[in-house]
Amino acid sequence: MIRRPPRSTLSSSSAASDVYKRQLSSIAVIFSKIDEDNDGLMSFPELLAAYYPYCSSREIDQFVSKYDKPVKKQVAEVRQLTEEQEEELEGVMRLFDQNADGELDPKEMAYYCANLGIGDETIAEWFKEYDTDQNGTLSLAEFKEFFRREWDS
């Protein structure tokens, strides 16, 4: 995309020469003729229309669609944990769960994350995102979901 010269440039300080001002004014007029939708940007089809004034809109659209293929949207595949990974996470959960209540609280998580350089702010963000029942702890299912998503990123 090409942007239209800012209007403030057209009426800039008195130090600018009259020739410079006329040139900028001419460029702005040409740009406004090319910018058919008046959005302040010159799109590729608008530029093609300026270069090839005898082409119809249909011909320009055909050219653009032929040579400027749309980007294919990639659908992110949701990763599923294997049975082995789920068993390993259950073991990690039992290890982290110091009071053996089946839930992991931020202090229990911080105990193991401190050696990895993961601070309390990051842990708080994790709990905010993955503690879906908002009881202040991660259940086994929430813990598994946490690792499933974090492994993907």
Side-chain angles (χ1 to χ4, degrees), residues 90-106:
E90 289 168 11
V92 171
M93 176 75 168
R94 284 191 300 273
L95 177 69
F96 282 21
D97 185 16
Q98 295 171 343
N99 61 4
D101 65 352
E103 301 276 322
L104 188 64
D105 64 48

Side-chain angles (χ1 to χ4, degrees), residues 65-94:
S65 65
K66 180 178 180 179
Y67 295 106
D68 193 18
K69 300 285 183 193
V71 178
K72 293 181 181 178
K73 293 181 181 178
Q74 292 184 351
V75 178
E77 186 178 318
V78 177
R79 181 176 190 212
Q80 298 298 319
L81 296 174
T82 65
E83 189 176 323
E84 182 180 348
Q85 289 171 328
E86 290 208 25
E87 288 174 10
E88 289 176 4
L89 287 175
E90 289 168 11
V92 171
M93 176 75 168
R94 284 191 300 273

Side-chain angles (χ1 to χ4, degrees), residues 1-152:
M1 295 280 184
I2 301 171
R3 291 193 179 280
R4 174 183 50 78
R7 296 191 193 283
S8 62
T9 317
L10 300 177
S11 60
S12 61
S13 69
S14 61
S17 69
D18 288 338
V19 173
Y20 178 72
K21 287 181 181 180
R22 281 196 308 268
Q23 288 174 338
L24 281 178
S25 179
S26 296
I27 291 170
V29 168
I30 292 168
F31 188 94
S32 66
K33 288 180 181 178
I34 295 172
D35 182 22
E36 294 174 356
D37 58 6
N38 294 318
D39 65 352
L41 301 172
M42 186 186 317
S43 66
F44 185 56
E46 289 171 335
L47 183 63
L48 286 176
Y51 274 115
Y52 305 105
Y54 297 112
C55 287
S56 68
S57 299
R58 194 177 125 257
E59 291 170 321
I60 289 174
D61 290 341
Q62 286 175 339
F63 179 84
V64 170
S65 65
K66 180 178 180 179
Y67 295 106
D68 193 18
K69 300 285 183 193
V71 178
K72 293 181 181 178
K73 293 181 181 178
Q74 292 184 351
V75 178
E77 186 178 318
V78 177
R79 181 176 190 212
Q80 298 298 319
L81 296 174
T82 65
E83 189 176 323
E84 182 180 348
Q85 289 171 328
E86 290 208 25
E87 288 174 10
E88 289 176 4
L89 287 175
E90 289 168 11
V92 171
M93 176 75 168
R94 284 191 300 273
L95 177 69
F96 282 21
D97 185 16
Q98 295 171 343
N99 61 4
D101 65 352
E103 301 276 322
L104 188 64
D105 64 48
K107 289 181 183 178
E108 292 170 326
M109 180 79 102
Y111 179 79
Y112 287 94
C113 290
N115 291 334
L116 301 173
I118 300 171
D120 291 340
E121 289 177 10
T122 302
I123 294 169
E125 289 174 20
W126 289 343
F127 272 79
K128 184 177 179 183
E129 183 173 351
Y130 296 106
D131 181 18
T132 56
D133 59 8
Q134 298 183 358
N135 65 350
T137 63
L138 295 181
S139 66
L140 180 60
E142 292 168 336
F143 186 71
K144 287 179 181 180
E145 180 64 11
F146 161 73
F147 271 98
R148 185 191 63 78
R149 284 203 222 156
E150 291 301 315
W151 277 339
D152 277 345

